Amino acid sequence: MRRILVTGRGGQLATGLEAALPALGFEALLVGQPEFEFDQPESVIAAFNTLKPDAVVNCAAWTAVDAAEDQEAAAFRANALGPALLGRLSRDAGIPIIQISTDYVYDGLKGAPYLESDAPNPLSAYGRTKLAGEWAAQAANPRCIVLRTAWVFAPMGKNFLRTMLALGEDRPELRVVADQWGSPTAAPDLADAIAAILARLGADGWRDDFAGTYHATGGGFTTWHGFAEAIFAEAARHGGARPKLHAITTAEYPTKAKRPADGRLDNGKLLGIFGVGLPSWEAGLARVMAALRQG
């Protein structure tokens, strides 16, 4: 196994894989819009047949959570029909696919970190379409690994960390939601974990017990407010702004899409099956902030 097709070129995770895969001896074949477009299945088929990959990592997705509430059909095409097509193509080629999913498949009401065996119950159109994508990819290809992650951030792209830093430069005080729990996940750390999974597949060959759903987030848990506090503490160490943060409730910051209040995920299965774990979210934050400083 050498050639890895990575969809979603230019996105946070695909960009991380662009560095992580070659570090473990893989060739990263990045594809994205406009020449690779799930709304144009023939473009996907053409790219797949031309590149002839040994495995697929599907990072491409509709990620505009609130916009999906009004455009669920479009989100479904990207998040469910796209994975279905990639699942069929990879199955016919006899190769594995890694499908990236989200903690938003859960309702956040468990009160403890979710296990992969817990029943999903998405609260939003985004969550519904991502869950459909999991099922579609798994139904199409028995060699399918689903990785659910959460709160992804990177040195580039649109994410909470970059939004906070930009707002902090302009405003002396910020209001941040403090009653939603999860695990911030640095895209470079997740990319390293995916590369490690692929290395295991390359070394051992496919095993039926590899198939299934796994949780893959930064270690530990916090709230959006706690994450923001850590972001500005790290920024302040290097001369950045440190605005005053006010903890608010979800009700005080209404959004079109409902988010899980407690989307904590248990990562034990990934470690048990593949021997792969992600660093703490704090270590991931330090890594991404260092990359931002190096710019």
Side-chain angles (χ1 to χ4, degrees):
M1 181 187 293
R2 191 174 74 86
R3 294 164 57 82
I4 312 300
L5 180 67
V6 178
T7 68
R9 184 190 60 218
Q12 297 180 103
L13 183 53
T15 300
L17 286 165
E18 192 172 9
L21 289 172
L24 291 186
F26 296 107
E27 182 181 359
L29 310 171
L30 276 80
V31 293
Q33 297 171 324
E35 77 280 2
F36 182 96
E37 172 59 68
F38 285 147
D39 275 343
Q40 298 172 347
E42 65 279 1
S43 71
V44 177
I45 296 167
F48 195 94
N49 291 336
T50 298
L51 294 171
K52 296 179 170 56
D54 299 314
V56 177
V57 182
N58 183 31
C59 307
W62 177 296
T63 57
V65 175
D66 291 314
E69 293 298 306
D70 293 324
Q71 302 177 67
E72 187 163 358
F76 186 85
R77 291 196 298 272
N79 291 346
L81 299 185
L85 176 57
L86 284 176
R88 291 194 299 273
L89 291 170
S90 56
R91 176 200 63 206
D92 292 347
I95 64 174
I97 180 171
I98 296 178
Q99 168 67 24
I100 307 303
S101 192
T102 172
D103 61 319
Y104 281 39
V105 302
Y106 294 116
D107 58 19
L109 300 177
K110 180 181 178 181
Y114 282 94
L115 302 171
E116 292 83 352
S117 55
D118 289 323
N121 183 33
L123 302 175
S124 64
Y126 170 71
R128 288 191 294 273
T129 60
K130 289 296 288 182
L131 182 60
E134 294 183 9
W135 292 346
Q138 290 174 317
N141 189 348
R143 296 187 179 190
C144 178
I145 294 168
V146 170
L147 294 181
R148 291 177 182 150
T149 191
W151 298 19
V152 175
F153 65 100
M156 44 70 66
K158 183 179 179 183
N159 57 66
F160 181 80
L161 177 143
R162 285 168 52 86
T163 297
M164 284 295 104
L165 291 175
L167 290 174
E169 291 295 329
D170 292 335
R171 304 180 189 177
E173 300 186 20
L174 296 173
R175 291 154 43 88
V176 185
V177 171
D179 59 355
Q180 291 178 23
W181 284 84
S183 297
T185 305
D189 290 342
L190 181 57
D192 286 346
I194 292 169
I197 292 168
L198 289 165
R200 180 75 182 276
L201 298 183
D204 293 2
W206 181 263
R207 293 188 345 215
D208 288 345
D209 65 322
F210 287 157
T213 303
Y214 299 83
H215 294 161
T217 62
F221 313 112
T222 189
T223 63
W224 290 115
H225 181 271
F227 188 21
E229 289 275 17
I231 289 168
F232 289 117
E234 181 72 17
R237 289 178 53 227
H238 300 276
R242 190 167 190 176
K244 182 176 182 180
L245 298 182
H246 299 280
I248 63 170
T249 65
T250 299
E252 293 175 273
Y253 188 79
T255 55
K256 186 174 285 286
K258 191 174 182 182
R259 272 81 167 160
D262 185 354
R264 292 175 295 159
L265 303 180
D266 185 301
N267 296 326
K269 181 181 175 185
L270 184 67
L271 187 61
I273 298 292
F274 286 104
V276 172
L278 278 70
S280 70
W281 69 264
E282 295 96 336
L285 172 60
R287 179 181 186 181
V288 169
M289 291 290 281
L292 275 173
R293 289 193 298 274
Q294 291 162 10

